[in-house]
Amino acid sequence: MESSGKSFADALKMVRERSSPEELIKWIPSEKSVAAPFVPSLMILTLNVLALCPNEITSLKNIPDNLRLRLINRMCDKSTMNAAVLRLLVERSPTEIRVKNCSWLTQEQFHHTIGNCDTTKLQVLQLDLCGQCMLDIAFKDILNKCQECFPTLTILSLRGACGLSDDGLRNLVKSAPLLRSINLGQCTLLTSAAVNCIADVLGSQLRELYIDECNKIDAMQILPAFKKFTCLEVLSVAHMRTINDQFVNGLVTASACGKVLKDLDFSDCNRLTDNSLKIIGTTCDDLRSLDISNLNKLTDSGLEYLANGCKSIQKLKLCRNEFSDVAVAAFLESSGESLLELFLNSIVKVGPHTALSLAKCSRKLVSLDVSWCRKISNEGLGLIVDSCSSLKMLKIFGCTQINKEFLEGHSNPVVKIIGSKFTPIMDHLYLLEPEEEKFLRYRFLQY
């Protein structure tokens, strides 16, 4: 059954007219349990063993990019990544160098690996958390080789590079004329000048910009730069203290990218109010992903603005807000049909109304997080999981009310349930295998 496309007001009225929503939840546990202990695949076990023995790896040649990335990610998670493995990654003329945790990387190691790498074919460079390196100096030798030493680079991620300055970034951006995605989250030295530089050099082609937790950047000072970002689809400004309703208004109504934006992250921008959601709902009708977690000034009215304007949202994070059970249910009734991922973590008022509407209107859900939502019953969760046959991931951390009646009684054979008090801790570690970070996620969309 699909959502009716009704307005939020009509949906809210219908939800409020439900008498005893708990009694409307009709779910009977299956007599034959489909739940089974998680058994890691041979591939997962092999990667885990290799990640613990980095010095035994002598070559990464002929290893597919996706497996190489999974191996490197495991090494980063287990703190076994080192310079010897990095040297294997940069051999010959790599197209990708992706390391999500370079906290171990020293200036000298950078010089002997990245500094000596042939970058002419490099398309993706990810060196996150490289806090020991002064990147202005580290990149100097590379940049001195030629004016455009990154001629094919399209994706750059230097998240957590606390030694990167405005000048260093400026030189790096000018050497990479094809950049489409830049992640500078937690680069704490960067100021508004850095964003203005990116706009001047890459404004007509940049599609993704992440500047979350860069609190030396003043939101209002960079607002004029967004008039130059004509193709910007993804913007993350999470945890930035200066983000306010005025910035959001200028971003989506006065800038060049307002109608193009598809993915916005405003989590922990605590100055935002329902007015921002009204502006987004009115303007961003093609929005696909929105994170508005932990915004304590939002009310149910904000959800109404979103529901009436953003009908194509596929990923929505509402965590740690004060939305009511009936408002979340009304949103799902009016705009929940497209949802693939929904995060309701710590929305303590969520309960039977939300469960009913999820089961009815969000049948395409692939991932759901209801951690710490203790008003959702075994029956409510059973109805959701059995109705949403595409659901593959369910997180229920802190849901102490959920017991084996649901865990052994649901009939969805593909769902992985994480966070149950009955699940061995090591199973959680396997199930929570980190997903590959996606860059240029909307590259195949046509305008």
Side-chain angles (χ1 to χ4, degrees), residues 92-97 117-124 149-154:
R92 295 174 294 278
S93 299
T95 57
E96 288 192 5
I97 300 173
C117 174
D118 179 0
T119 60
T120 55
K121 296 180 181 179
L122 192 63
Q123 298 176 21
V124 181
C149 55
F150 294 104
T152 60
L153 191 67
T154 56

Side-chain angles (χ1 to χ4, degrees), residues 143 146-151 174-177:
L143 299 178
C146 62
Q147 187 175 5
E148 293 184 358
C149 55
F150 294 104
K174 288 181 177 179
S175 71

Side-chain angles (χ1 to χ4, degrees), residues 98-115:
R98 298 187 62 175
V99 185
K100 70 177 185 178
N101 186 348
C102 295
S103 56
W104 50 270
L105 184 65
T106 66
Q107 196 90 7
E108 182 180 359
Q109 289 170 334
F110 185 100
H111 175 75
H112 290 299
T113 53
I114 308 297

Side-chain angles (χ1 to χ4, degrees), residues 342-357:
L342 180 62
F343 300 78
L344 303 175
N345 186 322
S346 300
I347 304 183
V348 296
K349 297 177 183 177
V350 158
H353 286 295
T354 296
L356 284 167
S357 296

Side-chain angles (χ1 to χ4, degrees), residues 7 12 35 56 64 94 113 149 158 256 273 299 350 381 394 402 443:
S7 71
L12 185 62
E56 304 301 320
T113 53
C149 55
L158 298 175
T273 71
T299 70
V350 158
L381 209 51
L394 174 66
I402 301 301
R443 72 172 77 189

Side-chain angles (χ1 to χ4, degrees), residues 161-195:
C162 53
L164 180 66
S165 72
D166 292 345
D167 289 338
L169 179 65
R170 181 181 297 108
N171 294 331
L172 194 53
V173 166
K174 288 181 177 179
S175 71
L178 298 183
L179 274 176
R180 298 291 186 273
S181 175
I182 302 180
N183 189 337
L184 301 171
Q186 300 174 357
C187 291
T188 52
L189 288 182
L190 297 183
T191 72
S192 304
V195 178

Side-chain angles (χ1 to χ4, degrees), residues 128-142:
D128 293 348
L129 304 180
C130 47
Q132 290 194 57
C133 295
M134 295 300 296
L135 287 188
D136 295 14
I137 301 172
F139 277 112
K140 186 175 181 180
D141 292 341
I142 301 176

Side-chain angles (χ1 to χ4, degrees), residues 28-263:
I28 300 175
S30 173
E31 294 182 1
K32 184 178 181 180
S33 175
V34 298
F38 176 74
V39 179
S41 67
L42 181 59
M43 177 66 71
I44 289 177
L45 293 173
T46 302
L47 289 173
N48 286 339
V49 170
L50 287 172
L52 292 173
C53 307
N55 294 327
E56 304 301 320
I57 300 174
T58 58
S59 175
L60 293 173
K61 186 179 179 181
N62 298 326
I63 304 297
D65 287 344
N66 64 322
L67 286 182
R68 185 184 307 174
L69 180 59
R70 290 176 67 183
L71 175 59
I72 299 303
N73 283 344
R74 273 172 169 72
M75 289 182 179
C76 291
D77 292 338
K78 298 177 184 295
S79 300
T80 58
M81 183 66 187
N82 59 31
V85 178
L86 183 58
R87 275 192 289 271
L88 298 178
L89 279 178
V90 304
E91 283 181 345
R92 295 174 294 278
S93 299
T95 57
E96 288 192 5
I97 300 173
R98 298 187 62 175
V99 185
K100 70 177 185 178
N101 186 348
C102 295
S103 56
W104 50 270
L105 184 65
T106 66
Q107 196 90 7
E108 182 180 359
Q109 289 170 334
F110 185 100
H111 175 75
H112 290 299
T113 53
I114 308 297
N116 291 325
C117 174
D118 179 0
T119 60
T120 55
K121 296 180 181 179
L122 192 63
Q123 298 176 21
V124 181
L125 178 59
Q126 179 182 11
L127 298 173
D128 293 348
L129 304 180
C130 47
Q132 290 194 57
C133 295
M134 295 300 296
L135 287 188
D136 295 14
I137 301 172
F139 277 112
K140 186 175 181 180
D141 292 341
I142 301 176
L143 299 178
N144 284 339
K145 292 178 182 178
C146 62
Q147 187 175 5
E148 293 184 358
C149 55
F150 294 104
T152 60
L153 191 67
T154 56
I155 296 168
L156 175 66
S157 181
L158 298 175
R159 186 174 188 83
C162 53
L164 180 66
S165 72
D166 292 345
D167 289 338
L169 179 65
R170 181 181 297 108
N171 294 331
L172 194 53
V173 166
K174 288 181 177 179
S175 71
L178 298 183
L179 274 176
R180 298 291 186 273
S181 175
I182 302 180
N183 189 337
L184 301 171
Q186 300 174 357
C187 291
T188 52
L189 288 182
L190 297 183
T191 72
S192 304
V195 178
N196 292 328
C197 169
I198 294 171
D200 290 337
V201 179
L202 303 170
S204 63
Q205 65 190 50
L206 195 72
R207 289 177 175 250
E208 300 179 350
L209 178 62
Y210 303 83
I211 52 174
D212 43 293
E213 297 188 69
C214 294
N215 278 306
K216 283 192 175 182
I217 295 176
D218 185 280
M220 299 313 296
Q221 288 184 13
I222 64 173
L223 192 54
F226 285 91
K227 294 182 179 180
K228 300 177 182 178
F229 290 128
T230 55
C231 298
L232 194 67
E233 298 168 330
V234 179
L235 176 65
S236 175
V237 290
H239 294 268
M240 287 183 60
R241 292 188 292 266
T242 57
I243 298 295
N244 55 26
D245 291 340
Q246 185 180 356
F247 171 83
V248 176
N249 181 57
L251 173 70
V252 301
T253 63
S255 71
C257 58
K259 285 285 186 179
V260 183
L261 285 167
K262 290 178 172 56
D263 191 319

